[in-house]
Amino acid sequence: SQQGEEDPQALSIQEGENATMNCSYKTSINNLQWYRQNSGRGLVHLILIRSNEREKHSGRLRVTLDTSKKSSSLLITASRAADTASYFCATDNQAGTALIFGKGTTLSVSS
Amino acid sequence: DTAVSQTPKYLVTQMGNDKSIKCEQNLGHDTMYWYKQDSKKFLKIMFSYNNKELIINETVPNRFSPKSPDKAHLNLHINSLELGDSAVYFCASSQETRRREQYFGPGTRLTVT
């Protein structure tokens, strides 16, 4: 069954604004990952946060993890048109042998 | 230098046909995967291969079979194609299976008519 659920399903913002998307999951995890998918392309790994970490940064990306609430958020600061894409959170399946993806958040950044 | 490549990019075929999708990675990874993405963008794992061994196989019809001639390749064979097989299929690879990021190919859009 699906592990992650992103929220919102769709988000439209202007260039320069910040974009926040959330992910909730059901079972305990070892880590949580975020991926980006541009239209018609494969997924690109953005960031991995381990269960013992609360916050992680990578460039304009900031990811938080709250294991007590089983949730994570991805913040993209100073959004650009090139950030337009779908964003997915992913967690390991129970055996740790594959990723389970959420349904994704579609982000549109207009100039 | 493409890390994970798939061929073909587009595949249009009729119901009942048999088709294959090829995947190659040049990252030296030891685990490869096949995912299916439906029209609502939902991604689901189909198979993964580690050192030529199938280590997971989700509830996928046995019409689908992965074939790994070597560590750098994982091909997907589909027999007796059905309309519901229409989707985008992604190959991915990672170094080890647990707790590691995966690298995805560009996808193969399969349309069954």
Side-chain angles (χ1 to χ4, degrees):
Chain A
S1 63
Q2 193 175 328
Q3 169 74 311
E5 289 276 353
E6 287 89 344
D7 169 56
Q9 288 188 11
L11 181 60
S12 293
I13 60 174
Q14 297 283 323
E15 262 192 330
E17 293 180 339
N18 295 341
T20 299
M21 48 207 92
N22 305 296
C23 168
S24 59
Y25 55 91
K26 298 174 185 173
T27 61
S28 61
I29 59 171
N30 294 304
N31 63 63
L32 185 142
Q33 302 183 42
W34 284 91
Y35 287 79
R36 183 188 75 230
Q37 184 180 30
N38 290 88
S39 180
R41 302 286 188 93
L43 280 76
V44 174
H45 179 262
L46 294 176
I47 199 163
L48 181 152
I49 185 166
R50 303 195 188 283
S51 58
N52 61 355
E53 297 175 311
R54 290 296 166 259
E55 188 171 309
K56 202 162 182 180
H57 297 255
S58 177
R60 294 184 294 113
L61 305 181
R62 174 181 164 238
V63 168
T64 62
L65 179 64
D66 187 335
T67 53
S68 67
K69 295 182 180 178
K70 291 187 169 58
S71 68
S72 173
S73 68
L74 170 67
L75 168 68
I76 304 174
T77 60
S79 295
R80 305 166 182 168
D83 295 326
T84 295
S86 293
Y87 292 82
F88 296 87
C89 67
T91 56
D92 286 330
N93 65 356
Q94 198 165 6
T97 53
L99 291 178
I100 301 177
F101 286 86
K103 290 183 178 178
T105 293
T106 299
L107 173 66
S108 298
V109 182
S110 52
S111 53
Chain B
D1 293 342
T2 305
V4 182
S5 60
Q6 293 178 230
T7 54
K9 188 168 174 61
Y10 300 97
L11 185 54
V12 181
T13 188
Q14 292 184 330
M15 284 175 57
N17 284 349
D18 303 337
K19 290 293 178 186
S20 295
I21 305 172
K22 294 185 177 181
C23 176
E24 177 181 1
Q25 56 95 2
N26 62 7
L27 298 167
H29 288 166
D30 60 9
T31 306
M32 297 181 71
Y33 311 83
W34 276 105
Y35 289 87
K36 178 181 180 180
Q37 188 173 44
D38 63 22
S39 58
K40 295 184 179 178
K41 292 190 178 179
F42 180 49
L43 264 165
K44 186 174 179 181
I45 183 71
M46 299 177 71
F47 303 101
S48 71
Y49 251 78
N50 179 290
N51 292 325
K52 292 194 174 183
E53 261 187 283
L54 180 66
I55 58 174
I56 65 166
N57 183 345
E58 294 291 323
T59 53
V60 172
N62 57 16
R63 298 181 295 104
F64 290 79
S65 57
K67 298 272 195 301
S68 180
D70 55 56
K71 203 170 82 166
H73 297 83
L74 183 65
N75 304 324
L76 182 64
H77 297 271
I78 316 169
N79 295 325
S80 304
L81 277 156
E82 300 177 357
L83 291 176
D85 297 332
S86 295
V88 182
Y89 292 83
F90 287 98
C91 177
S93 71
S94 70
Q95 186 58 35
E96 303 172 2
T97 55
R98 296 177 179 269
R99 310 183 186 98
R100 302 299 291 267
E101 60 268 31
Q102 295 184 11
Y103 294 77
F104 282 76
T108 295
R109 182 174 292 278
L110 172 64
T111 303
V112 183
T113 61

